[in-house]
Amino acid sequence: RQRQQRLKDGLNFLDSQEPILQKKYNELQSELVDFRKQYSLIEPEKEGISLKIQEQKLKEDLSLLKSEKNRLLIVREEVKNGTISATGFEEQISSNNFNGLKIKDFDQSLLKQIFSLENEISKKRTIFKEDSETIKNLKNNLSELNPLLQNSQLKAVDTAIRLNSAKISDAEDNLKELQNNFLRKPSLIKKFNALQQNLNISEKNLIGLVSARENFQLQIAQSSVPWKIIEDPYILKNPIKPS
């Protein structure tokens, strides 16, 4: 009876502790859910790594944009100074694949005329002298077309530079915002890990309580063997020994 009572007392204690542990576990779960909702985070550590990857990608994109802008500025200077030919300009566009820099139909028409005149001049030079009227006329025609093409090229390059500058500005803003978000991550990760650790401890305590209660119930069941007197004891009338 005493053994049974000890087991029952232990079981009653465990039963009284279960609601307390369950309530604590539920509160920690709710706190963790609220934390994730508040900061829009599921796994802060993984998301911190993801932010670092995004930051690296933005830096690479920004570097490419700045490099492209430098090349555009060089092309613009060459166009402005007249040190780049129509052919060279077209080759620059094709080889660098500048974003926002396209050769319009008007430019294409001018380029064809200029290419045609340049070829014509090259052919005529094999026949006529440099000071001949034929060569002079061809050069004059070419000199009339070049300013038109130059203005058109400058406008195209300036448009491409503006688009490039806007992209650089957007990329820098995105990078700054990303870096600010990342700076918040260490403290959020620390708080998240503390909540997660407390939840794990609470879960283990709850599991341990359930296991202990099952063990007590098993012991009570094993020790509760019913018994009864099958036959009353009796004493023989004749003693076995004289004493």
Side-chain angles (χ1 to χ4, degrees), residues 116-133:
S116 177
L117 281 171
E118 287 177 346
N119 289 333
E120 188 67 19
I121 290 171
S122 297
K123 289 178 182 178
K124 296 298 183 183
R125 277 174 175 163
T126 62
I127 302 172
F128 300 97
K129 292 182 178 180
E130 197 68 25
D131 57 352
S132 66
E133 288 298 321

Side-chain angles (χ1 to χ4, degrees), residues 10 22 44 59-60 72 86-87 102 110 116 131 145 168 170 172 177 190 204:
Q22 186 66 55
K59 285 182 177 179
E60 291 173 1
L72 281 168
T87 306
K102 306 292 181 184
L110 275 175
S116 177
D131 57 352
L145 293 177
I168 288 175
D170 289 342
E172 287 175 340
E177 183 180 356
K190 183 179 180 181
K204 288 178 181 178

Side-chain angles (χ1 to χ4, degrees), residues 211-229:
S211 177
R213 187 174 62 184
E214 290 174 352
N215 186 44
F216 270 77
Q217 289 171 339
L218 178 62
Q219 290 186 56
I220 291 172
Q222 288 176 338
S223 62
S224 299
V225 181
W227 62 274
K228 65 179 180 178
I229 298 175

